[in-house]
Amino acid sequence: MCANVKLMRGIVDSLPFSLTVGTLGIVFGATAGSAGLGNLTAILMSFLVFSGSAQFAALGLWKQHATALLLTTTLLSTRFLLMSASLAARLPRIPTWLRTLLGFGVTDESYALSVTRGAKGAQISVPYLAGCMLAIYVPWVLGTGLGASLIGPLIKRAQIHRRSAERRLGDE
Amino acid sequence: MSDVMSVVIMATATFLLRASPVLWIRDAERMPRWVKRWLEYVPPAVLAALVAPEILARTGPRIPGLALAYIACLVTALRTRSIILPLLAAIVTLAIAGLF
């Protein structure tokens, strides 16, 4: 099978996760504003951090000590250390830039998909893994952007409307 | 502490943990046998550790039908080996259970 086919295969296999991760991204983007993150900060975070658990935890810790943020992120990311090590044992020899990208892209979903495919302990297909990662990363960032720029403000406006309607009812 | 700085700190922390194993272990062939064998047990262990607390912590009187949804999900997964079908089975089961 050629690389493009495997990449497509990884993307197609990940589509169910793209849907859930995209939705989660929208939720993250929409709630980030009320935690004190600017739109651009929220999007930048999804773009660079790319970890749902760490990012949602950060919302509760925002504007507090950076040490708490660092500690929480580190603790929540330790599981990736094991996942990445088990991936490393099954990767073929590939250049450093590709390793860096694959390392950045390790998530619960892409890890689960790529290690359960094929025989136990068999070598992992790099294009397939890359396809899984892309299909998770893109919806996560896009979802955050959509949530922060559109869904979040919509919810806020609806809340303000409701509050003012309640106030008007109270006056009468 | 600026917002961007905080994001950079988070990104660095998570990236170092994710990328260092794949960057360090460059030649899987030269890895000691026992390490390789040990790492073969990581996938089931990690996946179980991710899923089990979720099921145990949330299944209870607060969300009735969730246990049923998990069972439907598991059975469909074992039968079909698909990803989307168990998800759908779980959602449908939960929706039906919510009607009662």
Side-chain angles (χ1 to χ4, degrees):
Chain A
M1 232 197 308
C2 79
N4 279 337
V5 176
K6 284 186 187 162
L7 185 92
M8 275 312 290
R9 182 85 220 176
I11 293 176
V12 170
D13 282 358
S14 307
L15 282 182
F17 293 126
S18 309
L19 211 66
T20 54
V21 168
T23 315
L24 217 58
I26 292 178
V27 175
F28 175 75
T31 45
S34 47
L37 273 82
N39 280 0
L40 283 179
T41 314
I43 296 166
L44 185 74
M45 197 190 262
S46 286
F47 194 73
L48 292 178
V49 179
F50 186 35
S51 164
S53 51
Q55 289 180 227
F56 275 107
L59 289 188
L61 297 166
W62 206 245
K63 303 284 183 201
Q64 292 179 34
H65 269 290
T67 328
L69 209 58
L70 176 64
L71 205 69
T72 310
T73 310
T74 307
L75 284 178
L76 284 172
S77 300
T78 42
R79 67 179 193 280
F80 295 134
L81 194 70
L82 271 178
M83 292 186 198
S84 178
S86 104
L87 279 181
R90 294 170 57 175
L91 279 179
R93 301 187 66 164
I94 47 171
T96 306
W97 66 269
L98 196 52
R99 284 181 180 272
T100 313
L101 278 181
L102 292 182
F104 171 78
V106 173
T107 56
D108 300 341
E109 291 88 349
S110 56
Y111 174 73
L113 272 174
S114 52
V115 291
T116 50
R117 195 168 182 265
K120 192 178 142 210
Q123 205 168 67
I124 282 169
S125 149
V126 173
Y128 182 84
L129 182 61
C132 295
M133 290 172 169
L134 265 178
I136 309 271
Y137 185 61
V138 174
W140 177 243
V141 178
L142 288 185
T144 306
L146 188 66
S149 59
L150 201 72
I151 311 289
L154 272 180
I155 294 173
K156 213 172 192 177
R157 241 199 7 230
Q159 279 172 340
I160 292 169
H161 268 289
R162 208 185 55 198
R163 231 168 286 150
S164 63
E166 279 169 358
R167 210 171 305 134
R168 246 177 289 139
L169 278 174
D171 288 343
E172 282 166 14
Chain B
M1 177 64 65
S2 80
D3 284 2
V4 174
M5 217 31 225
S6 303
V7 172
V8 170
I9 287 174
M10 285 179 72
T12 312
T14 185
F15 175 76
L16 285 178
L17 287 167
R18 283 169 167 179
S20 44
V22 278
L23 284 171
W24 260 329
I25 309 168
R26 314 189 127 260
D27 195 350
E29 299 299 316
R30 276 171 39 204
M31 192 184 253
R33 290 279 304 266
W34 67 271
V35 178
K36 239 179 156 170
R37 268 206 359 237
W38 185 77
L39 284 174
E40 270 172 27
Y41 293 103
V42 169
V46 165
L47 297 179
L50 282 175
V51 175
E54 200 69 19
I55 294 178
L56 294 176
R58 290 184 199 231
T59 312
R62 278 205 328 178
I63 313 177
L66 201 53
L68 279 178
Y70 280 127
I71 294 169
C73 188
L74 185 69
V75 170
T76 322
L78 288 174
R79 279 277 169 94
T80 62
R81 298 271 150 191
S82 134
I83 291 165
I84 190 83
L85 289 177
L87 269 176
L88 289 175
I91 292 171
V92 170
T93 311
L94 197 59
I96 293 173
L99 294 177
F100 297 102

XYZ file of all heavy atoms in Angstrom, chain A residues 13 16 41 45 48-51 54 58 62-63 66 69-70 73-74 77 79-86 88-89 91 93 96 99-100 103-104 106 108 111-113 115 120, chain B residues 1-4 6-11 13-23 25-31 36 38-44 46-47 50 83-84 87:
657
model
N -10.292 6.329 9.290
C -10.502 5.592 10.534
C -10.728 6.530 11.712
O -11.378 6.162 12.695
C -9.299 4.682 10.837
C -9.319 3.424 9.987
O -10.286 3.263 9.210
O -8.381 2.627 10.084
N -14.687 9.291 13.248
C -15.568 9.367 14.422
C -14.964 10.235 15.522
O -15.668 10.998 16.183
C -15.693 7.918 14.882
C -15.366 7.108 13.691
C -14.397 7.903 12.882
N -5.789 33.812 22.416
C -5.060 32.961 23.359
C -5.618 31.546 23.321
O -4.858 30.564 23.332
C -5.178 33.512 24.790
O -4.949 34.915 24.760
C -4.191 32.855 25.712
N -3.571 28.342 22.140
C -3.389 27.228 23.056
C -3.715 25.902 22.369
O -2.959 24.940 22.454
C -4.266 27.422 24.285
C -3.864 26.566 25.460
S -5.085 26.634 26.754
C -4.344 27.826 27.821
N -0.888 25.109 19.921
C 0.437 24.753 20.441
C 0.401 23.654 21.506
O 1.310 22.829 21.576
C 1.128 25.987 21.034
C 1.555 27.099 20.073
C 2.172 28.244 20.848
C 2.543 26.566 19.039
N -0.608 23.665 22.371
C -0.639 22.704 23.473
C -1.266 21.390 23.014
O -0.751 20.309 23.294
C -1.381 23.275 24.701
C -1.415 22.266 25.824
C -0.715 24.560 25.166
N -2.412 21.470 22.325
C -3.042 20.300 21.722
C -3.268 19.178 22.741
O -2.827 18.055 22.561
C -2.182 19.804 20.547
C -2.787 18.698 19.755
C -4.152 18.623 19.525
C -1.988 17.703 19.211
C -4.705 17.599 18.791
C -2.532 16.668 18.473
C -3.888 16.618 18.257
N -3.890 19.522 23.878
C -4.218 18.497 24.852
C -5.497 18.901 25.562
O -5.520 19.869 26.313
C -3.083 18.352 25.862
O -3.532 17.644 26.997
N -5.378 18.896 29.574
C -4.557 19.978 30.133
C -5.216 21.334 29.903
O -5.201 22.197 30.783
C -3.168 19.953 29.519
N -6.551 23.989 32.592
C -5.954 25.325 32.626
C -7.018 26.413 32.768
O -6.756 27.460 33.355
C -5.129 25.563 31.366
N -6.479 29.617 35.237
C -5.998 30.788 34.500
C -5.886 31.990 35.414
O -6.668 32.147 36.335
C -6.931 31.064 33.328
C -6.241 31.783 32.217
C -6.510 33.034 31.770
C -5.171 31.267 31.415
N -5.659 33.334 30.738
C -4.832 32.291 30.497
C -4.457 30.081 31.387
C -3.823 32.147 29.557
C -3.450 29.927 30.456
C -3.144 30.957 29.563
N -4.909 32.844 35.176
C -4.662 34.054 35.966
C -4.178 33.722 37.382
O -4.187 34.560 38.250
C -5.922 34.929 36.067
C -6.501 35.353 34.739
C -5.702 36.451 34.078
C -6.374 36.879 32.772
N -5.452 37.539 31.866
N 1.728 30.559 37.653
C 2.190 29.797 36.496
C 2.704 28.432 36.946
O 2.650 27.463 36.186
C 3.279 30.559 35.764
N -0.022 25.947 36.856
C -0.308 25.622 35.457
C 0.705 24.591 34.930
O 0.346 23.600 34.295
C -0.219 26.906 34.638
C -1.071 27.023 33.391
C -2.531 26.846 33.718
C -0.838 28.367 32.736
N 1.971 24.871 35.239
C 3.046 23.990 34.778
C 2.909 22.599 35.395
O 3.020 21.578 34.708
C 4.398 24.606 35.155
C 5.641 23.778 34.834
C 5.783 23.604 33.339
C 6.887 24.450 35.394
N -0.220 20.729 33.970
C 0.033 20.284 32.600
C 0.980 19.094 32.592
O 0.768 18.111 31.880
C 0.648 21.427 31.766
O -0.139 22.598 31.928
C 0.709 21.063 30.310
N 2.030 19.175 33.402
C 3.011 18.093 33.439
C 2.370 16.794 33.929
O 2.535 15.740 33.313
C 4.182 18.474 34.367
O 4.696 19.739 33.956
C 5.278 17.438 34.315
N 0.103 15.255 31.454
C 0.761 14.809 30.224
C 1.662 13.604 30.433
O 2.220 13.091 29.469
C 1.583 15.953 29.625
O 0.761 17.045 29.323
N 0.997 10.625 30.986
C 0.546 9.431 30.267
C 1.109 9.394 28.846
O 1.355 8.322 28.304
C -0.976 9.346 30.256
C -1.669 10.421 29.450
C -3.183 10.199 29.501
N -3.920 10.983 28.547
C -4.233 12.257 28.701
N -3.814 12.909 29.771
N -4.933 12.904 27.793
N 1.322 10.595 28.261
C 1.868 10.647 26.907
C 3.297 10.097 26.855
O 3.735 9.605 25.814
C 1.869 12.079 26.373
C 0.496 12.648 26.187
C 0.192 13.920 26.632
C -0.489 11.916 25.555
C -1.077 14.447 26.447
C -1.760 12.433 25.363
C -2.054 13.705 25.820
N 4.007 10.189 27.986
C 5.378 9.690 28.041
C 5.396 8.184 27.745
O 6.202 7.699 26.949
C 5.962 9.980 29.423
C 7.463 9.858 29.612
C 8.164 10.977 28.893
C 7.817 9.911 31.088
N 4.468 7.474 28.406
C 4.371 6.028 28.185
C 3.907 5.700 26.775
O 4.444 4.810 26.120
C 3.380 5.429 29.184
C 3.955 4.973 30.512
C 2.853 4.449 31.399
C 4.995 3.882 30.272
N 2.887 6.431 26.320
C 2.375 6.183 24.971
C 3.466 6.392 23.935
O 3.655 5.579 23.033
C 1.228 7.151 24.658
C -0.009 6.927 25.460
S -1.295 8.022 24.855
C -2.403 7.995 26.235
N 4.179 7.508 24.093
C 5.229 7.849 23.142
C 6.337 6.792 23.165
O 6.869 6.417 22.111
C 5.784 9.225 23.492
O 6.828 9.581 22.650
N 6.687 6.286 24.362
C 7.725 5.257 24.455
C 7.277 3.980 23.763
O 8.059 3.329 23.062
C 8.053 4.985 25.917
N 6.007 3.628 23.930
C 5.552 2.395 23.296
C 5.426 2.573 21.782
O 5.624 1.627 21.017
C 4.263 1.900 23.955
O 3.141 2.148 23.177
N 7.525 4.544 20.119
C 8.924 4.573 19.683
C 9.450 3.166 19.442
O 10.234 2.928 18.519
C 9.776 5.283 20.728
N 9.016 2.212 20.269
C 9.486 0.838 20.138
C 8.978 0.188 18.861
O 9.480 -0.855 18.448
C 9.052 0.023 21.346
N 8.236 2.091 15.895
C 8.389 2.955 14.718
C 9.571 2.493 13.876
O 10.578 2.028 14.411
C 8.626 4.399 15.152
C 7.419 5.238 15.552
C 7.869 6.631 15.982
C 6.417 5.347 14.419
N 12.792 3.413 11.170
C 13.780 4.493 11.241
C 13.307 5.643 10.365
O 13.155 5.491 9.150
C 15.137 3.977 10.773
C 15.610 2.818 11.616
C 17.000 2.420 11.285
N 17.944 3.465 11.635
C 19.255 3.240 11.726
N 19.729 2.042 11.491
N 20.075 4.207 12.052
N 14.515 13.057 12.015
C 14.200 13.754 13.264
C 12.971 14.658 13.144
O 12.132 14.698 14.042
C 15.402 14.600 13.715
O 16.539 13.743 13.788
C 15.162 15.221 15.074
N 9.953 12.669 13.477
C 9.783 12.218 14.867
C 9.230 13.331 15.741
O 8.375 13.105 16.596
C 11.118 11.749 15.443
C 11.522 10.388 14.943
C 12.833 9.914 15.518
N 13.113 8.600 14.963
C 12.674 7.471 15.510
N 12.015 7.497 16.628
N 12.916 6.315 14.928
N 9.754 14.561 15.518
C 9.290 15.696 16.304
C 7.794 15.923 16.089
O 7.032 16.108 17.044
C 10.069 16.967 15.902
O 11.461 16.650 15.863
C 9.832 18.091 16.872
N 5.748 13.128 17.611
C 5.748 13.278 19.066
C 4.754 14.339 19.507
O 3.984 14.136 20.442
N 4.738 15.454 18.792
C 3.795 16.530 19.097
C 2.354 16.047 18.966
O 1.469 16.455 19.710
C 4.039 17.718 18.159
C 2.982 18.793 18.253
C 2.991 19.689 19.312
C 1.983 18.884 17.303
C 2.016 20.670 19.404
C 1.000 19.860 17.397
C 1.020 20.755 18.442
N 0.992 13.070 19.479
C 0.499 11.935 20.270
C -0.743 12.343 21.070
O -0.715 13.306 21.818
C 1.588 11.433 21.252
C 1.017 10.379 22.180
C 2.773 10.878 20.496
N -4.545 10.452 22.974
C -5.186 9.187 23.350
C -5.766 8.500 22.118
O -5.584 7.302 21.910
C -6.328 9.441 24.342
C -5.835 10.107 25.610
O -4.624 10.038 25.879
O -6.667 10.692 26.321
N -3.155 7.380 19.360
C -2.372 6.275 19.924
C -3.187 4.987 19.905
O -2.725 3.950 19.414
C -1.943 6.613 21.353
C -1.248 5.480 22.051
C 0.048 5.131 21.705
C -1.899 4.732 23.025
C 0.689 4.074 22.320
C -1.265 3.676 23.651
C 0.027 3.353 23.291
O 0.651 2.305 23.887
N -4.420 5.072 20.417
C -5.267 3.880 20.496
C -5.493 3.286 19.115
O -5.391 2.074 18.914
C -6.605 4.229 21.146
N -5.760 4.147 18.125
C -6.033 3.656 16.774
C -4.812 2.973 16.176
O -4.918 1.892 15.588
C -6.448 4.809 15.871
C -7.931 5.146 15.856
C -8.161 6.400 15.044
C -8.721 3.996 15.276
N -1.975 1.721 17.617
C -1.382 0.524 18.238
C -2.291 -0.694 18.159
O -1.819 -1.819 18.214
C -0.975 0.719 19.722
C 0.192 1.654 19.847
C -2.147 1.153 20.565
N 0.152 -7.683 17.258
C 0.740 -7.198 18.501
C 2.246 -7.024 18.314
O 2.940 -7.936 17.871
C 0.457 -8.216 19.608
C 0.760 -7.698 20.991
C 0.409 -8.748 22.045
C 1.443 -8.728 23.142
N 1.620 -10.034 23.766
N 2.819 37.987 34.378
C 2.866 36.812 33.484
C 1.851 37.002 32.353
O 0.661 37.091 32.585
C 2.529 35.563 34.306
C 2.476 34.290 33.514
S 4.022 33.831 32.793
C 4.953 33.529 34.285
N 2.336 37.094 31.153
C 1.404 37.324 30.049
C 0.730 36.020 29.646
O 1.207 34.922 29.953
C 2.139 37.913 28.859
O 2.795 36.889 28.161
N -0.404 36.151 28.987
C -1.161 34.977 28.551
C -0.357 34.103 27.601
O -0.359 32.877 27.705
C -2.456 35.424 27.860
C -3.497 35.875 28.877
O -3.180 35.871 30.081
O -4.600 36.242 28.457
N 0.346 34.781 26.678
C 1.118 34.016 25.694
C 2.207 33.202 26.380
O 2.455 32.040 26.045
C 1.733 34.973 24.638
C 2.654 34.224 23.698
C 0.633 35.659 23.850
N 2.106 31.961 29.391
C 1.473 30.801 30.019
C 1.230 29.689 29.005
O 1.462 28.509 29.286
C 0.138 31.195 30.654
O 0.321 32.219 31.587
N 0.765 30.076 27.817
C 0.522 29.081 26.771
C 1.831 28.403 26.380
O 1.890 27.177 26.234
C -0.143 29.731 25.531
C -0.222 28.747 24.384
C -1.530 30.242 25.873
N 2.889 29.206 26.262
C 4.190 28.645 25.866
C 4.699 27.663 26.930
O 5.232 26.591 26.608
C 5.207 29.784 25.608
C 6.612 29.219 25.452
C 4.816 30.565 24.365
N 4.495 28.014 28.212
C 4.914 27.108 29.292
C 4.175 25.774 29.190
O 4.777 24.696 29.246
C 4.643 27.770 30.671
C 5.656 28.896 30.910
C 4.709 26.745 31.788
C 5.377 29.697 32.156
N 2.857 25.847 29.006
C 2.064 24.615 28.873
C 2.515 23.795 27.675
O 2.672 22.577 27.757
C 0.582 24.959 28.705
C -0.108 25.407 29.958
S -1.827 25.813 29.592
C -2.508 24.183 29.312
N 2.700 24.502 26.535
C 3.072 23.804 25.303
C 4.416 23.096 25.466
O 4.582 21.950 25.046
C 3.118 24.799 24.144
N 5.855 22.055 28.280
C 5.754 20.929 29.215
C 5.174 19.697 28.534
O 5.736 18.597 28.609
C 4.901 21.327 30.416
N 4.055 19.873 27.834
C 3.407 18.709 27.226
C 4.221 18.183 26.049
O 4.335 16.974 25.844
C 1.938 19.007 26.840
O 1.345 17.824 26.367
C 1.813 20.096 25.823
N 4.866 19.104 25.300
C 5.656 18.651 24.148
C 6.860 17.819 24.586
O 7.164 16.783 23.974
C 6.115 19.852 23.315
C 7.031 19.466 22.194
C 6.526 18.870 21.052
C 8.405 19.681 22.282
C 7.362 18.487 20.021
C 9.253 19.311 21.259
C 8.729 18.711 20.127
N 7.541 18.268 25.655
C 8.722 17.528 26.118
C 8.346 16.101 26.509
O 9.062 15.140 26.192
C 9.373 18.247 27.297
C 10.159 19.511 26.935
C 10.724 20.162 28.184
C 11.280 19.190 25.948
N 7.212 15.955 27.199
C 6.807 14.619 27.630
C 6.389 13.751 26.451
O 6.630 12.550 26.425
C 5.661 14.721 28.632
C 6.094 15.219 30.013
C 4.885 15.593 30.841
C 6.893 14.128 30.714
N 5.740 14.351 25.461
C 5.254 13.568 24.323
C 6.356 13.182 23.358
O 6.370 12.090 22.812
C 4.243 14.393 23.536
C 2.913 14.474 24.149
C 2.158 15.528 23.399
N 0.760 15.451 23.732
C -0.157 16.269 23.236
N 0.190 17.193 22.388
N -1.396 16.148 23.596
N 7.248 14.142 23.103
C 8.189 13.938 22.008
C 9.492 13.276 22.438
O 10.132 12.604 21.631
C 8.476 15.270 21.320
N 9.895 13.452 23.721
C 11.228 12.953 24.074
C 11.386 11.444 23.866
O 12.438 11.027 23.371
C 11.626 13.387 25.476
O 10.592 13.222 26.380
N 10.394 10.600 24.199
C 10.625 9.171 23.925
C 10.857 8.860 22.443
O 11.810 8.155 22.110
C 9.347 8.501 24.438
C 8.831 9.422 25.461
C 9.156 10.790 24.966
N 10.026 9.409 21.553
C 10.235 9.106 20.126
C 11.510 9.732 19.586
O 12.066 9.257 18.605
C 9.048 9.518 19.217
C 7.960 8.491 19.239
C 8.520 10.872 19.544
N 11.968 10.814 20.242
C 13.217 11.419 19.774
C 14.434 10.684 20.326
O 15.467 10.604 19.669
C 13.265 12.894 20.185
C 12.390 13.822 19.338
C 12.320 15.213 19.944
C 12.897 13.899 17.905
N 14.513 7.307 21.496
C 14.597 5.928 21.014
C 14.500 5.958 19.495
O 13.419 5.963 18.929
C 13.464 5.070 21.621
C 13.449 5.240 23.137
C 13.646 3.612 21.244
C 12.216 4.681 23.805
N 15.644 6.035 18.835
C 15.631 6.225 17.375
C 15.700 4.902 16.648
O 15.264 4.773 15.528
C 16.811 7.099 16.948
C 16.925 8.288 17.827
C 17.937 9.257 17.303
N 17.309 10.540 17.208
C 16.831 11.052 16.093
N 16.942 10.405 14.968
N 16.255 12.217 16.112
N 16.292 3.924 17.286
C 16.440 2.642 16.609
C 15.792 1.549 17.458
O 16.387 1.057 18.412
C 17.928 2.341 16.399
C 18.112 1.220 15.397
O 17.095 0.587 15.044
O 19.252 0.981 14.990
N 14.560 1.212 17.097
C 13.817 0.243 17.900
C 14.489 -1.132 17.889
O 14.354 -1.903 18.828
C 12.382 0.141 17.386
N 15.256 -1.415 16.805
C 15.903 -2.725 16.685
C 16.949 -2.938 17.787
O 17.176 -4.046 18.241
C 16.597 -2.856 15.323
C 15.666 -2.760 14.135
C 14.620 -3.854 14.146
O 14.974 -5.018 14.422
O 13.433 -3.552 13.904
N 17.595 -1.807 18.170
C 18.676 -1.939 19.151
C 18.206 -1.815 20.588
O 19.007 -1.776 21.505
C 19.762 -0.902 18.856
C 20.712 -1.452 17.792
C 21.694 -0.459 17.263
N 22.242 0.441 18.242
C 22.732 1.647 17.920
N 22.689 2.047 16.672
N 23.246 2.417 18.833
N 16.898 -1.736 20.746
C 16.343 -1.633 22.091
C 16.454 -2.992 22.783
O 16.232 -4.028 22.152
C 14.872 -1.251 21.936
C 14.182 -0.828 23.180
S 12.457 -0.544 22.772
C 12.414 1.195 22.847
N 11.510 -3.850 25.285
C 10.523 -3.973 24.231
C 9.321 -4.787 24.699
O 8.173 -4.440 24.437
C 11.154 -4.653 23.013
C 11.079 -3.783 21.776
C 11.718 -4.444 20.605
C 11.127 -3.859 19.343
N 11.844 -4.260 18.164
N 8.378 -5.199 27.759
C 7.666 -4.428 28.762
C 6.749 -3.404 28.086
O 5.611 -3.209 28.480
C 8.684 -3.730 29.674
C 8.079 -3.002 30.815
C 7.594 -3.551 31.959
C 7.870 -1.595 30.921
N 7.098 -2.568 32.773
C 7.260 -1.354 32.163
C 8.145 -0.509 30.087
C 6.917 -0.084 32.598
C 7.804 0.763 30.516
C 7.203 0.959 31.758
N 7.260 -2.769 27.035
C 6.485 -1.735 26.350
C 5.279 -2.303 25.612
O 4.325 -1.596 25.334
C 7.376 -0.952 25.381
C 8.318 0.057 26.044
C 9.255 0.664 25.023
C 7.528 1.159 26.741
N 5.330 -3.618 25.317
C 4.179 -4.225 24.647
C 2.952 -4.238 25.550
O 1.829 -4.325 25.066
C 4.510 -5.657 24.215
C 5.089 -5.708 22.813
C 5.586 -7.080 22.448
O 5.050 -8.066 23.012
O 6.499 -7.181 21.620
N 3.182 -4.161 26.857
C 2.054 -4.175 27.784
C 1.479 -2.783 28.019
O 0.463 -2.633 28.682
C 2.457 -4.792 29.127
C 2.772 -6.248 29.008
C 4.081 -6.712 28.997
C 1.735 -7.183 28.870
C 4.375 -8.052 28.857
C 2.015 -8.523 28.730
C 3.349 -8.956 28.728
O 3.619 -10.279 28.576
N 2.166 -1.755 27.482
C 1.708 -0.383 27.718
C 0.337 -0.106 27.083
O -0.538 0.438 27.752
C 2.765 0.640 27.255
C 2.193 2.043 27.254
C 3.977 0.571 28.160
N 0.110 -0.493 25.815
C -1.193 -0.145 25.227
C -2.397 -0.631 26.044
O -3.227 0.196 26.413
C -1.139 -0.790 23.837
C 0.295 -0.848 23.511
C 1.014 -1.067 24.809
N -2.488 -1.941 26.371
C -3.663 -2.337 27.150
C -3.726 -1.637 28.507
O -4.808 -1.262 28.955
C -3.514 -3.852 27.312
C -2.152 -4.184 26.865
C -1.676 -3.094 25.988
N -2.500 1.397 29.409
C -2.875 2.809 29.287
C -4.340 2.956 28.906
O -5.071 3.756 29.492
C -1.986 3.514 28.229
C -2.577 4.841 27.821
C -0.585 3.720 28.771
N -4.783 2.147 27.938
C -6.161 2.287 27.476
C -7.135 1.914 28.588
O -8.147 2.584 28.794
C -6.392 1.435 26.224
C -5.529 1.867 25.031
C -5.769 0.977 23.833
C -5.803 3.308 24.662
N -7.339 4.707 31.062
C -8.098 5.863 30.588
C -9.597 5.627 30.702
O -10.357 6.516 31.042
C -7.759 6.164 29.118
C -6.452 6.870 28.837
C -6.231 6.966 27.338
C -6.467 8.253 29.439
N -15.410 1.477 14.897
C -15.327 2.548 15.880
C -16.635 3.310 15.954
O -17.118 3.648 17.025
C -14.178 3.508 15.534
C -12.847 2.793 15.752
C -14.209 4.741 16.413
C -11.699 3.507 15.118
N -17.238 3.543 14.789
C -18.433 4.379 14.763
C -19.657 3.613 15.283
O -20.496 4.172 15.980
C -18.656 4.954 13.334
C -19.748 6.021 13.344
C -18.993 3.877 12.330
C -19.240 7.374 13.753
N -20.065 3.559 19.101
C -20.447 4.915 19.521
C -21.942 5.134 19.334
O -22.650 5.583 20.243
C -19.696 5.950 18.670
C -18.354 6.469 19.169
C -17.744 7.403 18.137
C -18.539 7.201 20.473
